[in-house]
Amino acid sequence: MHIRFTKMQGAGNDFVVLDETQARLGLTTAQYRFLADRHFGVGADQILTVRPSPAPGLDFEYVIHNADGGEVEHCGNGARCFVRYVRDKGLTDKSTVRVKVQQGEIELRMNPDGRVTVDMGAPVFDWERVPFNPMGLISDQVNGWPVFDLALGDLGIARVGVVSMGNPHAVQRVDNVDTFPVLAQGPLIENHPAFPKRVNAGFMQIVSRSQIKLRVFERGAGETLACGTGACAAVVAGIRQGWLDSRVDVQTHGGVLTIEWAGQADSPVLMTGPATSVFEGSIDVPDTL
């Protein structure tokens, strides 16, 4: 199968973007893995697919596959690339679009400075919806918000706040993200039995009430240069625990994302950051892998 693609990145989180507005490509899990492979394919953290509107009031459908080929619920950096893609390709001339994602709808806005703001929706704290099973875990409260101790064998305990931003996140505060054993702890947290659909592991260093440093070990992708939903989850966790103000700059290895949240459970989280096209191309994807 010969397909065209666009390579994009948002704060270093990189994507292969596919246009299915005219017809479905019908890719298999193995073919998504091939596209994401950095040695044999194009190389990407996620594959983003643009599909036509599935219902009145929506402009597009937005589908995300991780590098391991599995479909996932949400990707904030990808959402910013999505709106730049549909505008650059002439698929819409709107500066604000609404799109369907796996578990709901999101609104994306192109700003005059070229950055993109994504209304990520309200954070989810209901354990069943995250999903998260705290049975048997030691828990505590920080500023009235529950935190949980995850046993990581020889690596000790990770004390995490749990939240979903359309996908599950476990966020812990660390003293120094540069020296913390992210690559050792990340897989253990991702696959901890308390998370039936696995989890994204966030490691947050608080610089001030308006600035944090963040590394994220993403479910199905490993550590990435940036994670949009992870940045949102970290700021929400920091605000709930009384450490952060309502507007926070998140420094990732790939760049800075600005996250805003009013602090009420039903308030949407707003994320603003860059989205850039890297190159366009075409590739032959094997029919069988």
Side-chain angles (χ1 to χ4, degrees):
M1 181 190 312
H2 191 75
I3 63 173
R4 293 197 57 80
F5 65 87
T6 299
K7 180 70 179 287
M8 304 189 73
Q9 63 88 9
N13 201 184
D14 64 334
F15 310 97
V16 169
V17 187
L18 305 176
D19 184 350
E20 289 188 346
T21 57
Q22 300 302 312
R24 297 286 179 91
L25 295 169
L27 298 178
T28 65
T29 298
Q31 288 171 324
Y32 284 116
R33 281 200 303 268
F34 172 82
L35 285 172
D37 191 288
R38 298 188 185 278
H39 300 286
F40 298 101
V42 181
D45 294 321
Q46 278 100 15
I47 312 299
L48 312 181
T49 304
V50 183
R51 293 178 180 172
S53 169
L58 295 171
D59 297 290
F60 299 97
E61 182 177 5
Y62 164 41
V63 181
I64 311 121
H65 288 82
N66 267 347
D68 65 0
E71 185 177 347
V72 292
E73 303 93 340
H74 207 351
C75 174
N77 289 324
R80 296 199 314 278
C81 289
F82 182 100
V83 70
R84 178 168 288 282
Y85 178 89
V86 296
R87 282 176 54 87
D88 288 352
K89 292 295 184 181
L91 298 175
T92 184
D93 58 2
K94 296 181 178 180
S95 57
T96 300
V97 298
R98 289 196 62 80
V99 301
K100 178 185 181 300
V101 293
Q102 190 185 82
Q103 293 191 352
E105 302 171 5
I106 58 174
E107 185 172 280
L108 321 172
R109 183 178 75 245
M110 180 71 75
N111 296 319
D113 65 1
R115 298 205 303 168
V116 178
T117 297
V118 182
D119 180 338
M120 301 289 286
V124 174
F125 303 111
D126 178 76
W127 303 147
E128 187 172 337
R129 292 174 59 201
V130 170
F132 169 59
N133 181 5
M135 186 70 67
L137 298 180
I138 295 174
S139 65
D140 199 354
Q141 290 204 350
V142 179
N143 195 33
W145 195 51
V147 291
F148 300 89
D149 289 348
L150 305 180
L152 304 180
D154 293 341
L155 291 177
I157 300 294
R159 171 158 287 197
V160 300
V162 177
V163 60
S164 172
M165 286 304 311
N167 54 0
H169 290 267
V171 182
Q172 67 174 306
R173 181 176 180 175
V174 302
D175 291 333
N176 188 323
V177 290
D178 295 322
T179 60
F180 198 80
V182 169
L183 299 182
Q185 278 203 11
L188 300 179
I189 297 173
E190 175 191 358
N191 294 288
H192 195 281
F195 300 94
K197 292 188 176 180
R198 299 182 295 162
V199 71
N200 300 285
F203 304 84
M204 170 176 62
Q205 174 186 342
I206 296 181
V207 179
S208 70
R209 293 192 61 85
S210 61
Q211 184 180 3
I212 66 172
K213 294 182 178 181
L214 181 71
R215 292 172 67 182
V216 180
F217 192 94
E218 291 196 49
R219 179 184 57 167
E223 186 181 7
T224 56
L225 291 178
C227 174
T229 56
C232 294
V235 171
V236 167
I239 291 173
R240 287 297 295 265
Q241 292 174 85
W243 300 328
L244 299 174
D245 293 333
S246 60
R247 179 185 172 96
V248 178
D249 286 334
V250 180
Q251 178 67 59
T252 71
H253 283 322
V256 176
L257 302 173
T258 301
I259 309 299
E260 299 172 79
W261 185 52
Q264 287 76 42
D266 59 350
S267 299
V269 182
L270 302 180
M271 175 184 62
T272 301
T276 304
S277 290
V278 181
F279 64 87
E280 296 188 353
S282 60
I283 187 170
D284 288 316
V285 178
D287 292 330
T288 58
L289 289 168

